[in-house]
Each structure stands twice: as structure tokens, then as C-alpha cells.
Amino acid sequence: MSTAAPVKLGVLISGEGTNLQAMIDAVARGELCADLRVVIANRAEAGGLRRAERARIPCEVISHRDFTTREDFDRALVRALQSHEVELVACAGFMRLLSPVMLRAFPNRILNIHPALCPAFPGVDAVRQALAYGARFTGCTVFFVTEGVDDGPVIIQAVVPILPEDDEASLAARIHAEEHRIYPYAIRLYQEGRLEVRGRKVLIRDYPPAASVALINPRP
Ligand code: GAR
């Protein structure tokens, strides 16, 4: 475990919050040194709010429907995050595009996860898109948020095979399992001060030994 201070984390969600749960569990296991300051949902029905409550993390609901512009919605997000002294923002199934208002308030301090190997299959329905395309591999990506859709500098990716018998549910489950491993790890790299954004690229200090073998599916 790093000796750096715990990262003060704010998590934005819209849905089930299984990635939020992975962060909560990683902190509980001592694998992630983070202080979960607040969970903010843009939907009161977001299942992840119950997970936050169970873990005794402060929660807020800020509905985008209460604002006429994206910027006004983002200003409310910024106010809430700053009032909880958040340093790093993790979008975890947060289905809203962020405007420059948020990006300026947290420069290179907003992460997101996408269920595909960026830049493939951006936007919604990434799992369905990969199946419909007939790809042999897909996966998930944690990246720094920019103004574009799922196209910021990449921190970490996991590759997941697509099997002949897969449907959307089975493939989504396989991707989710990898998301739950790589998202807490990406936050840990940030907390340890090992990430540096240089243009499109993210440099990682003390890069761990990387796999250098090709993945082939189906294997010859
Ligand atoms: C995750 O699979 C995440 O990659 C996806 O939403 C899901 C949220 O699951 N995000 C996107 O598609 C962003 N474009 P969760 O609420 O169980 O963490």
C-alpha cells in the first residue's frame, strides 16, 4: 500500500453502481487508499445509491432534468463535489456528457470507464455494438475524460474474448468482471502519483511487467 495520502474520491453514477461497489470493496480489502467523500446520482432510482448508503458514504441526487443547460447541471455537480472536498472524480456508469464547466474545475482529474476497447464502439450499447460487428475481442477502458465521447487519454484496458455462444448478457458479465478489477487499479495508480497525462498519452511511472504475447481468438 502506498504511503501517499488517501485520494479524496467523488463517484458519479446513473445506474446499478457495480463499479462503485468494486471501489468500496477494494478500499475495504486495503487494495485502494481512497476516502470516498460522496456519491452523486443523476437519477433517484440509481441502484448504486443503496450501495453507497450501506457503506455509509454521503449521497446526493442531482437530476439533470432540473436544469435547462448542461453547463448549469455541471455547475451544480461542481458545487456538490467541491463542498465534499473531492479531488478526483470517477464516473461509474454516469450516462451524461460533461461540459467544459466540469472539465475546467477538475482538469485531468475526472476518470471514466467504457465497456469497449476505446476508440472502438463509443457511446451507448457498446456491448451490443461489439456483438453486432462480429468482433472476436472487446473489453473495457479506463480513461481521463475529455469533451469527446469515450475518447480521452487511456490509462488501462482489459481485453475480453467474444465467444460464439455469447449473448449481450454473458458478454456484459465477462466485461463487468474485468471493469471491477481495472477501475480500482486505475484509481490506485492516480493515488500513488504514478499517472502523468502528456497530450493523448498517459505515462505510468514504475510500469509493471506487461504481457507481450499476442491474444488470438480463435486460437490456431
Ligand atoms: C459499465 O459497464 C460502464 O462501463 C458503462 O456503464 C456500466 C455501468 O455499470 N459505461 C458506459 O457505457 C459509458 N459510456 P455499473 O453501474 O454497474 O457500474
Side-chain angles (χ1 to χ4, degrees):
M1 180 73 86
S2 127
T3 52
V7 58
K8 294 176 187 170
L9 190 63
V11 184
L12 305 184
I13 61 168
S14 300
E16 269 319 298
T18 64
N19 279 286
L20 165 66
Q21 189 67 55
M23 295 169 201
I24 294 170
D25 294 345
V27 172
R29 284 197 302 266
E31 292 168 9
L32 174 63
C33 183
D35 179 6
L36 284 145
R37 309 286 297 189
V38 66
V39 171
I40 301 175
N42 67 318
R43 298 170 57 246
E45 319 81 74
L49 288 170
R50 308 290 93 72
R51 299 176 188 274
E53 279 162 14
R54 274 202 300 275
R56 301 186 190 287
I57 302 165
C59 299
E60 293 196 23
V61 176
I62 302 178
S63 172
H64 57 282
R65 294 182 197 281
D66 293 341
F67 301 88
T68 43
T69 66
R70 255 181 345 129
E71 287 74 15
D72 284 346
F73 173 58
D74 281 10
R75 270 186 271 277
L77 289 180
V78 169
R79 269 196 303 277
L81 291 162
Q82 287 177 343
S83 76
H84 289 276
E85 296 176 353
V86 165
E87 160 196 355
L88 180 72
V89 180
C91 301
F94 183 64
M95 296 308 192
R96 306 299 303 170
L97 278 182
L98 295 177
S99 76
V101 170
M102 267 291 285
L103 298 173
R104 274 198 301 266
F106 295 95
N108 285 340
R109 287 191 287 131
I110 307 176
L111 309 184
N112 196 6
I113 189 157
H114 184 63
L117 291 173
C118 295
F121 312 127
V124 291
D125 290 335
V127 178
R128 193 178 310 165
Q129 288 184 59
L131 271 175
Y133 190 87
R136 296 293 183 206
F137 287 107
T138 183
C140 44
T141 304
V142 180
F143 58 97
F144 281 104
V145 174
T146 54
E147 264 193 81
V149 179
D150 302 319
D151 76 347
V154 170
I155 300 168
I156 183 168
Q157 294 185 305
V159 179
V160 165
I162 300 177
L163 305 178
E165 60 273 22
D166 268 332
D167 57 16
E168 209 178 319
S170 63
L171 181 55
R174 194 173 306 123
I175 293 172
H176 252 129
E178 298 311 314
E179 291 189 345
H180 300 161
R181 291 171 60 190
I182 68 170
Y183 210 171
Y185 183 56
I187 296 168
R188 176 179 172 159
L189 291 172
Y190 178 94
Q191 182 268 331
E192 292 176 344
R194 292 166 62 191
L195 302 182
E196 184 189 330
V197 181
R198 282 228 199 126
R200 259 226 62 86
K201 296 200 179 163
V202 178
L203 306 188
I204 301 180
R205 266 183 286 283
D206 302 323
Y207 205 102
S212 58
V213 290
L215 299 172
I216 304 176
N217 180 29
R219 273 223 306 259

